[in-house]
Amino acid sequence: MDTTKTHLRWILPLFLLIGFYFEAYDLERTHTLPLLSLFSLLFILLWFWIRHFSTLTTIFILGIIIRFLFIYHIPSLSQDFYRFIWDGNIQLLGINPYLDTPNTLIKIIDFPNASLLYERMGGLSAGHYSNYPPVSQYLYQLMAFFNNEGILAPVLALRIVFFTGDLILFFVGIRLLTYLGKDSENIAWYFLNPLVIIEGIGNLHGESFMICFTLIALLLLIQKKSIWGGFFFSIAIATKLIPLLIAPLFFRYLGFRNFVVFGLSTLLFSILIWFPFWEGEMITHYKQTLDLWFTTFEFNGSIYKIVRAIGYEVKGYNIIRQLGKVTPFITLAMVALFALIPSNRSSKSLFKSMLFLLSCYFFMATTVHPWYLINLIILGILTGYAFPILWSLTVFWSYSAYGITEVKEVSFLQWASYLLVYGCFIWELLKGPLGQHLHKPNLFGVEHSPISSR
């Protein structure tokens, strides 16, 4: 038995490396069955290895090696990176990416690979103004400096930045886990999570880089360091906007005075970061682009799909535009509700509120791309809840929608995905977090439920 365990200790990481290699270089998003099967298998192998063999050292080393496997990888599951390079290049030409669409510019500008980038970013992206906040735009400028011949160089430049962010996040995450009384090895479910690696280092989505700054801000804020917390929080918001939703939750924890200092610090540094792009119709265009997420785009939603079906029965047409006008107000109401929870005065309750707020936001969203769930994974780890980890597995099944000639969601996989996630979510609400059992064999032992009277 000891010999078998010794062999598995080394064989499982080898299988993981082979699996990630095939995900990086042999599979396209139209290869539905092998893509989803291999991704799911990676989760199973990772779960078994973490439960039986992982240490902080091996987690760190394996995470680095896996990321190095993607060094020559050109993203194949997402075409967004073509728009990243485009936005960076037009900035080098002195053009504000929030003022003109690629459709407007393609015939009047010229830079290396312009036609290639325009063609491959897709018509949807080419027809709309950029929605990526300023820190992301600064990173795209970095990519553009290396856009001379092929597109590997700019891809590699951004990948190195994201790799550095992941390394910082690893140690900050351990610090937060220790502060919250959690096992520091739980960071494995972020640092080795296939979704985080494939969508972050692989497909170059900036959620993981944003979370790096968010975690630094959270660590400072739970220590009541409001000014520096606001500084790093402003960088996180200027990378991806989602941290805006959780900022009001610090009201109870910091108290009125410190919260005001935090808010003013965040506002001041945000103005400094956004100011270089503030010209002309920038605000109008940016708002128009954000409105698309509420009133036009729809992909892999859950509660929204049910509401939409009811709308078809009652109205006879898709009510997404009407619903999109109401959704922002529902979101603001949820934020206000969670911000006023008295128990947020404790750090553990504060992180739970963040998790449940963002979970409700994504449960209601019209669009839930796989990389969006990176936001929930780290909060699940910090609070001990397992449903975000499960969701990081099942959300990847949405890639089944990408056929060779069309994008069409597979209802069976979508419903199976959400039934598993909602089932786990409800179980944990009633019985308590299951996250510790991602590391321990006692699957049905539970901690205290957040809504039970025990």
Side-chain angles (χ1 to χ4, degrees), residues 169-431:
L169 189 151
F170 179 84
F171 293 103
V172 176
I174 289 173
R175 180 77 179 274
L176 271 171
L177 283 166
T178 303
Y179 185 91
L180 295 170
K182 303 291 183 182
D183 187 343
S184 58
E185 289 185 24
N186 290 4
I187 196 66
W189 278 109
Y190 187 92
F191 199 63
L192 297 177
N193 193 298
L195 185 73
V196 173
I197 295 173
I198 291 172
E199 296 294 359
I201 293 295
N203 291 330
L204 299 177
H205 292 293
E207 273 71 11
S208 192
F209 191 67
M210 173 271 291
I211 290 171
C212 172
F213 292 104
T214 303
L215 287 190
I216 295 173
L218 295 181
L219 183 60
L220 291 166
L221 289 171
I222 61 177
Q223 298 171 356
K224 306 294 179 70
K225 298 177 181 178
S226 301
I227 296 177
W228 280 108
F231 169 71
F232 284 102
F233 211 83
S234 66
I235 298 176
I237 293 170
T239 305
K240 294 284 182 177
L241 295 180
I242 197 72
L244 270 173
L245 292 179
I246 64 173
L249 272 59
F250 283 96
F251 175 71
R252 293 284 191 184
Y253 184 83
L254 292 175
F256 179 78
R257 181 179 177 278
N258 284 331
F259 182 75
V260 170
V261 173
F262 162 60
L264 291 175
S265 174
T266 303
L267 177 61
L268 174 61
F269 289 117
S270 293
I271 290 173
L272 293 175
I273 295 171
W274 287 76
F275 183 76
F277 296 94
W278 204 288
E279 61 175 306
E281 298 295 314
M282 180 265 184
I283 295 297
T284 302
H285 292 173
Y286 200 77
K287 181 180 180 301
Q288 289 175 1
T289 305
L290 292 182
D291 285 345
L292 295 172
W293 263 260
F294 295 101
T295 63
T296 304
F297 297 157
E298 48 183 310
F299 180 80
N300 195 37
S302 57
I303 292 176
Y304 161 72
K305 290 291 180 66
I306 298 173
V307 175
R308 187 186 67 176
I310 295 173
Y312 272 117
E313 290 294 324
V314 176
K315 296 288 188 178
Y317 58 86
N318 191 340
I319 62 171
I320 185 173
R321 290 192 180 276
Q322 291 79 7
L323 186 63
K325 296 176 181 179
V326 178
T327 303
F329 295 101
I330 297 175
T331 302
L332 288 174
M334 286 195 311
V335 171
L337 179 65
F338 277 97
L340 295 175
I341 294 176
S343 60
N344 283 348
R345 291 186 176 92
S346 77
S347 57
K348 290 185 178 181
S349 178
L350 178 65
F351 283 104
K352 287 181 182 180
S353 294
M354 292 178 190
L355 173 63
F356 290 133
L357 171 61
L358 291 184
S359 297
C360 290
Y361 173 77
F362 288 120
F363 285 150
M364 295 192 312
T366 62
T367 302
V368 183
H369 287 298
W371 53 93
Y372 292 4
L373 269 298
I374 295 175
N375 294 283
L376 296 185
I377 295 170
I378 192 66
L379 289 174
I381 293 168
L382 293 173
T383 57
Y385 285 85
F387 75 89
I389 310 300
L390 176 62
W391 203 355
S392 71
L393 164 63
T394 65
V395 73
F396 199 81
W397 299 351
S398 64
Y399 275 112
S400 61
Y402 295 96
I404 296 176
T405 59
E406 63 177 348
V407 178
K408 184 178 181 180
E409 293 177 286
V410 180
S411 297
F412 167 76
L413 284 176
Q414 190 175 35
W415 284 110
S417 167
Y418 279 113
L419 282 173
L420 287 171
V421 172
Y422 279 112
C424 184
F425 175 71
I426 294 170
W427 174 277
E428 291 188 291
L429 278 181
L430 296 175
K431 300 293 185 178

Side-chain angles (χ1 to χ4, degrees), residues 22-43:
F22 278 108
E23 287 278 6
Y25 296 104
D26 280 19
L27 297 177
E28 305 286 338
R29 68 182 183 182
T30 55
H31 301 159
T32 301
L33 183 59
L35 180 67
L36 271 57
S37 298
L38 180 55
F39 185 86
S40 302
L41 178 60
L42 285 173
F43 251 87

Side-chain angles (χ1 to χ4, degrees), residues 45-66:
L45 294 177
L46 184 63
W47 171 70
F48 190 86
W49 182 76
I50 288 174
R51 288 181 75 200
H52 296 283
F53 305 116
S54 66
T55 65
L56 270 180
T57 301
T58 55
I59 291 165
F60 183 69
I61 293 173
L62 184 59
I64 289 176
I65 295 174
I66 291 173

